[in-house]
Amino acid sequence: MRPVGPAPRPERNPLLVYTKAQADDAMDKAKGLAPDPVDDVILEYQNPAGGGSALPSMSMKSQIVRPGFTGLQHRHSGSKVYYALSGSASMVVKGERFDWGKGDFISVPPYAAVTHLNEGTEEGRLFRVDDSPIFRMLNAYHEEILTEGETAK
């Protein structure tokens, strides 16, 4: 318990810039890890002061979808916006396929079923922003991988 009044503020992020060179280096190293079954290669920008998301209300992630990858269908509370940094790949959202390439934006509504896949020969790189930190703070975040044959729209 604590005295009534404003709650302590979370650690403020001391970084003003996450350089492209640092992000690219981290992503290249992450390619050596086991692929994420949903997203292939994915890293979240974090607050070095507390280890949480870089911003208290928004999560930023960098993702690579390599040739030959087909992710598991999944969904979660909250919404996502992707920006295609380079390359190309595809995303199936609520049963509809979207082929994307450099410069495209993709918006995914809350709880929509998503599958990432790359049937091409070059990797696709995405930058993603989502509102998962808010849902986690409210203890309302839910994520699930859908079983084969299960349809979610």
Side-chain angles (χ1 to χ4, degrees), residues 54 61-63 73 90 110 142:
K61 297 175 176 80
S62 187
Q63 179 176 354
Q73 185 182 40
S90 303
H142 176 76

Side-chain angles (χ1 to χ4, degrees), residues 65-109:
V65 184
R66 294 177 283 195
F69 178 80
T70 299
L72 299 176
Q73 185 182 40
H74 67 288
R75 62 183 174 185
H76 66 75
S77 49
S79 56
K80 300 178 260 197
V81 176
Y82 294 87
Y83 176 70
L85 297 169
S86 64
S88 62
S90 303
M91 202 178 292
V92 178
V93 180
K94 293 172 40 175
E96 187 174 349
R97 181 181 170 131
F98 297 93
D99 297 324
W100 55 263
K102 181 180 178 178
D104 288 342
F105 281 92
I106 305 106
S107 175
V108 177

